[in-house]
Amino acid sequence: MSLFHEDRLLIDGELLPARRSFETVDPSTGKVLGTASDAEAGHVEAAVAAARRAFDTTGWMRDRDLRLRCLRQLYEALREHREELRELTIAEVGAPRSLTHGPQLDEPIEMVKYYADLLERYEFREDLGVVESRGRRHRRWVEKEAGGVVAGILPYNFPNQLALAKLAPALAAGCTVVLKGAPDTPWTTLALGRIIAEETDIPAGVVNVLTSSGPETGELLTTHPDIDMITFTGSTPVGKAIMAAASASLKRVFLELGGKSAMIVLDDADLANAAVFAAFTICSHAGQGCALTSRLLVPRDKHDQMVGLVAAMLGKVKYGDPADPATNMGPLISEKQRSKVHGMVERAVADGARLVTGGRPAEREGFFYEPTLLAGVDPRAEIAQEEVFGPVLAVIAYDDEDDAVRIANDSVYGLSGAVIGADDERATAVARRIRSGTFSINGGNFFAADAPFGGFKQSGIGREMGVAGLEEFLELKTFAVPAG
């Protein structure tokens, strides 16, 4: 079994090639890897119909034992194909090999086990006891049942993690799913579809996998009358469009959207350690992470010192071939994304920011961009307010702790953040003042299968992962019977 060139859609239990195809590219070389099936409207209709039938007419949603067995099969199959999936992720996503041993692959695979274990112990029924009302006693309880047919729409940056963070809890809940991969990374999603079709007992129609070259497939899913819920990870503008489209039929939505997270360096922090954390965070997956801290807030009297330390650390970041275990940073996903990043850097300099290091496409094949540091950034400038999705760090000076909190909160986003200081208690107190869904204190890592992830404000609605991630896919039904 070879997953590397899998180009077929999964619809109603069958692996099917589409009439049309589109190319997938290795972002580290710019060369074409191969082609993937380009789904059309008919494929969307067939996939949704299959998911609807599987939800409405089979026992999937009520058969916990079957769901548990299928999740455990999926987990073992993913482990069996782990190394093949690793090479595929490195080639198609441009993820450094080291990152695939974490959130790009190994940790997402373990997430499937987490949801299988959670399904085994989760209580889908809650007893509310007896109440007296209108002269009678009534016994009441709540049952939690599957939310229905789910459309899962994926971005390109962490396709394995995001596919499994949506799929595993949806299946555990008893939902059926139409999963749409990103145009830039179709093979990773299609490989998952093949594993499901050939190595699990997941019934036909319960999981359907589509890929397409344009947005039309996703648009059809967001408006389709037989879709009950949409789970989407991507940009805030697209999230707003999905929410608007879903409003016509009041579909439930989970939206994990953009971020412009701040790392606050307190006046008592170890600047050298903060510089290491700041530099390597912004270069993680070439800055293509919604929760990465792309604003660095430092005390005004330490601004220049901190800039020097971060610049030195960025100079130590090894970027290049993502297959090399020593590589810290791979390429951006496409020339289009690299041009966007470069345009934002050029506008930032024109607006008064000082370019300290980087600021240009790397002189090598592929879509690499040099690790970039901008100093003296105005907190209201575009580069400090808008998501870049590239290895670009903006340094902003602040006057005191209140000013740092004000600047950190002066954003339409609220996904994540970080604070570095000598005292955990003080740093935690500052973290609590920031309106964001996740927070790192002195280098703490919150990202794990059991930890809810999501944002405040325009960073999204709902939470992925953890128990909260399962409950996103559940509906509550309240019952009552006379108690005598």
Side-chain angles (χ1 to χ4, degrees):
M1 179 181 186
S2 174
L3 300 174
F4 207 87
H5 298 278
E6 182 55 59
D7 68 347
R8 292 171 295 176
L9 310 173
L10 174 60
I11 300 176
D12 203 10
E14 298 291 329
L15 294 168
L16 304 170
R19 180 176 58 88
R20 305 181 311 189
S21 63
F22 64 102
E23 295 177 340
T24 184
V25 173
D26 180 344
S28 69
T29 65
K31 296 176 181 176
V32 174
L33 291 168
T35 61
S37 283
D38 198 354
E40 300 177 63
H43 297 108
V44 176
E45 291 294 339
V48 174
R52 186 80 262 168
R53 176 196 54 77
F55 186 80
D56 290 342
T57 68
T58 75
W60 173 256
M61 69 172 290
R62 301 200 183 279
D63 193 338
R64 185 198 295 228
D65 290 341
L66 173 60
R67 302 201 307 273
L68 183 59
R69 183 173 83 245
C70 290
L71 280 170
R72 297 214 184 279
Q73 289 173 338
L74 178 58
Y75 171 63
E76 293 301 331
L78 290 168
R79 290 184 60 187
E80 177 71 21
H81 293 284
R82 183 195 308 265
E83 296 312 313
E84 197 171 2
L85 290 168
R86 192 181 316 282
E87 299 306 319
L88 173 56
T89 303
I90 291 167
E92 187 179 54
V93 185
R97 183 174 298 278
S98 58
L99 202 59
T100 67
H101 290 282
Q104 280 285 8
L105 181 63
D106 286 0
E107 290 174 6
I109 289 175
E110 293 304 310
M111 190 183 308
V112 179
K113 181 179 184 298
Y114 167 81
Y115 278 107
D117 292 344
L118 178 60
L119 174 60
E120 199 162 27
R121 67 178 188 271
Y122 187 79
E123 294 294 336
F124 286 87
R125 186 182 188 279
E126 178 186 1
D127 187 5
L128 297 181
V130 175
V131 66
E132 291 193 17
S133 175
R134 302 172 191 172
R136 299 188 67 180
R137 289 164 53 82
H138 309 269
R139 181 169 60 85
R140 296 118 353 99
W141 72 96
V142 173
E143 293 182 5
K144 305 170 187 179
E145 66 177 48
V149 178
V150 175
I153 302 175
L154 307 177
Y156 65 77
N157 57 335
F158 286 82
N160 297 307
Q161 193 275 327
L162 292 162
L164 294 175
K166 298 178 187 307
L167 186 63
L171 296 181
C175 295
T176 60
V177 181
V178 179
L179 195 66
K180 180 197 171 296
D184 293 297
T185 53
W187 277 359
T188 54
T189 310
L190 294 174
L192 176 61
R194 183 172 179 185
I195 289 172
I196 288 169
E198 296 186 350
E199 303 201 23
T200 77
D201 294 329
I202 294 174
V206 168
V207 178
N208 305 270
V209 178
L210 305 176
T211 54
S212 61
S213 59
E216 296 82 11
T217 300
E219 291 170 358
L220 286 171
L221 289 171
T222 62
T223 57
H224 200 289
D226 284 333
I227 294 290
D228 299 305
M229 176 181 172
I230 302 163
T231 171
F232 168 77
T233 299
S235 73
T236 294
V238 175
K240 290 178 179 179
I242 287 173
M243 191 171 182
S247 68
S249 55
L250 290 181
K251 299 184 193 305
R252 296 173 65 192
V253 294
F254 165 79
L255 302 173
E256 197 271 282
L257 307 177
K260 193 64 186 179
S261 303
M263 179 186 296
I264 301 173
V265 179
L266 297 177
D267 54 16
D268 59 359
D270 181 323
L271 298 188
N273 286 339
V276 173
F277 192 27
F280 282 90
T281 296
I282 196 60
C283 291
S284 177
H285 197 28
Q288 297 170 114
C290 50
L292 299 180
T293 44
S294 55
R295 293 183 292 160
L296 182 61
L297 277 53
V298 300
R300 194 170 300 280
D301 61 353
K302 297 181 179 179
H303 174 275
D304 291 350
Q305 181 184 0
M306 191 67 189
V307 167
L309 290 168
V310 174
M313 290 310 307
L314 288 176
K316 296 180 181 180
V317 173
K318 181 179 179 181
Y319 62 89
D321 181 4
D324 184 345
T327 294
N328 304 125
M329 187 181 91
L332 295 172
I333 192 64
S334 65
E335 180 56 41
K336 178 182 177 182
Q337 179 61 21
R338 185 167 69 170
S339 295
K340 178 206 167 191
V341 170
H342 189 51
M344 292 187 73
V345 171
E346 288 186 316
R347 290 194 298 276
V349 173
D351 287 343
R354 176 165 61 92
L355 179 61
V356 179
T357 188
R360 62 182 181 178
E363 294 180 356
R364 56 179 301 148
E365 67 176 2
F367 310 129
F368 293 88
Y369 197 82
E370 293 182 352
T372 298
L373 183 64
L374 296 166
V377 173
D378 184 330
R380 294 300 304 163
E382 177 196 45
I383 201 72
Q385 291 291 320
E386 298 299 325
E387 193 170 38
V388 179
F389 238 55
V392 180
L393 184 62
V395 184
I396 301 170
Y398 68 83
D399 295 322
D400 55 25
E401 189 176 297
D402 288 343
D403 192 38
V405 170
R406 179 190 63 78
I407 293 170
N409 282 329
D410 183 20
S411 172
V412 298
Y413 301 110
L415 185 57
S416 193
V419 60
I420 308 291
D423 177 69
D424 282 353
E425 187 173 340
R426 180 193 174 196
T428 301
V430 172
R432 288 194 174 108
R433 299 176 66 188
I434 310 303
R435 296 283 294 167
S436 71
T438 56
F439 223 88
S440 170
I441 298 165
N442 287 326
N445 179 25
F446 53 78
F447 198 80
D450 62 349
F453 180 81
F456 292 10
K457 300 189 279 187
Q458 293 188 31
S459 285
I461 297 172
R463 292 295 181 269
E464 204 157 57
M465 302 191 297
V467 175
L470 172 65
E471 292 179 341
E472 288 287 341
F473 295 98
L474 295 173
E475 292 276 18
L476 302 181
K477 184 184 291 186
T478 304
F479 297 85
V481 296

